[in-house]
Amino acid sequence: MNHPKAIQVNLRAKTPIGIFDSGYGGLTVMKEIVKALPGFDYIYLGDNARAPYGTRSFETVYRYTLECVEWFFEQGCPLVILACNTASAKALRSIQQNDLPLMDPGNRVLGVIRPTAEVIGNYSKTRQVGIMATNGTVASQSYPIEIKKFFPDLDVYQEACPMWVPLVENNEYDKPGADYFINQHIFQLLEKGSKIDTILLACTHYPLLINKIRQYLPLGIELLSQGEIVARSLVDYLERHPEITGRLSLGGHKRFCTTDDAAGFGQSASIFFGEAVIAEKVNL
Ligand code: DGL
């Protein structure tokens, strides 16, 4: 027999880490986080029904992201990672500064831009780095601004790749059509900075394109994805913040949610996450 009260108590008992993206991309980050911190409970939410975010206005990305963060808090998550550069660039600061104090000042929402900006300079010898990202992330100037704080000597060149997320979201990431757009944007980036020796895939969808990206990349250029960087930074954060770590439940459970069709999401997500994913559709 279904007993609503019993269900509520059970949900309350779980206080998972929330991981968010506009679609599938955040799974590339979650995979590394779970590898580094396997004991915790996790909920993933992909807002696939409204993806991509990269070409949407600040106001829209902020509103969508806030709705998703509210949903995570309703699920009992004390900590939410925006595993999406576009949401981190366009919504994180407002949520941290304006919304969180009113919603639940004890909860935390973290992004992926700062942890990446903190380390990118360690990889470059030429001191020229390239950022490949969505239109929204590039337009926000978040990376050049954040990177300058940690590595003022670095020259940062950006390239917006608006077709790359749709290639991933539509399962075209390993098909011949992807080659044209991948080659085009690598060429354009390297024209801007001819000494670039480090390229950051500053969109969590892009690791799905990594094999094709490598094909078109000149030898000697280091390609960085964010999964491991963000995972390492989270391990460090949890060590420094026992007040948050102590609130997280340790069950080793993973729940995968999408705002769009669950069967379709589960199929693609299994490929991106690297293990079988059974997803559920949720309404925000
Ligand atoms: N994974 C998101 C990011 O890191 C993709 C954005 C989109 O939906 O366009 O930027």
Side-chain angles (χ1 to χ4, degrees):
M1 194 183 85
N2 270 346
H3 193 296
K5 241 187 178 167
I7 290 169
Q8 218 178 23
V9 170
N10 193 20
L11 281 177
R12 284 237 177 90
K14 280 214 178 74
T15 50
I17 296 175
I19 301 184
F20 167 73
D21 183 50
S22 59
Y24 298 112
L27 291 164
T28 62
V29 175
M30 178 167 171
K31 192 171 158 183
E32 298 302 327
I33 291 180
V34 171
K35 219 187 272 175
L37 297 161
F40 292 100
D41 291 319
Y42 293 92
I43 302 186
Y44 183 86
L45 175 64
D47 191 7
N48 298 72
R50 302 187 290 191
Y53 279 15
T55 43
R56 297 192 191 278
S57 68
F58 265 81
E59 170 52 32
T60 302
V61 172
Y62 163 66
R63 187 160 46 85
Y64 287 178
T65 307
L66 182 59
E67 282 172 16
C68 293
V69 167
E70 277 168 348
W71 179 86
F72 277 113
F73 287 176
E74 281 162 20
Q75 311 308 305
C77 300
L79 174 65
V80 178
I81 315 294
L82 303 185
C84 174
N85 289 271
T86 311
S88 300
K90 291 184 159 186
L92 179 63
R93 188 182 293 255
S94 297
I95 290 175
Q96 282 176 334
Q97 292 182 351
N98 306 329
D99 300 298
L100 208 49
L102 303 172
M103 290 157 80
D104 193 332
N107 285 358
R108 290 288 171 268
V109 182
L110 305 175
V112 290
I113 294 178
R114 194 185 168 97
T116 314
E118 276 175 6
V119 299
I120 190 168
N122 301 336
Y123 295 88
S124 174
K125 290 196 175 69
T126 61
R127 311 317 281 160
Q128 285 197 355
V129 298
I131 305 293
M132 309 198 87
T134 64
N135 284 358
T137 301
V138 168
S140 75
Q141 293 294 326
S142 299
Y143 271 101
I145 293 168
E146 284 298 315
I147 290 172
K148 286 280 169 210
K149 290 181 192 164
F150 300 100
F151 302 101
D153 65 317
L154 274 194
D155 287 330
V156 180
Y157 298 91
Q158 301 194 93
E159 174 71 9
C161 315
M163 288 301 290
W164 287 17
V165 169
L167 287 170
V168 173
E169 288 287 315
N170 291 294
N171 285 317
E172 292 288 330
Y173 57 94
D174 57 354
K175 308 268 164 52
D179 291 65
Y180 172 82
F181 294 104
I182 289 174
N183 187 20
Q184 180 192 44
H185 289 298
I186 290 175
F187 180 79
Q188 286 173 189
L189 176 67
L190 295 177
E191 270 206 329
K192 293 176 197 166
S194 59
K195 295 204 191 86
I196 288 174
D197 67 349
T198 305
I199 292 180
L200 171 69
L201 300 181
C203 170
T204 54
H205 280 66
Y206 294 175
L208 273 307
L209 298 163
I210 206 153
N211 290 339
K212 283 199 183 279
I213 294 173
R214 281 196 207 285
Q215 269 177 36
Y216 291 101
L217 210 59
L219 283 175
I221 296 185
E222 174 108 44
L223 197 55
L224 300 179
S225 304
Q226 292 174 295
E228 284 180 27
I229 295 172
V230 172
R232 270 199 303 273
S233 162
L234 182 61
V235 170
D236 176 59
Y237 178 88
L238 293 179
E239 274 168 15
R240 287 184 293 107
H241 293 276
E243 76 287 1
I244 296 292
T245 313
R247 290 173 60 199
L248 297 168
S249 54
L250 291 158
H253 292 111
K254 297 184 282 284
R255 187 178 156 207
F256 295 91
C257 302
T258 174
T259 53
D260 207 347
D261 175 58
F265 178 88
Q267 235 172 22
S268 300
S270 304
I271 301 168
F272 303 155
F273 190 63
E275 63 181 69
V277 167
I278 296 173
E280 51 186 288
K281 180 177 188 276
V282 295
N283 295 313
L284 300 178

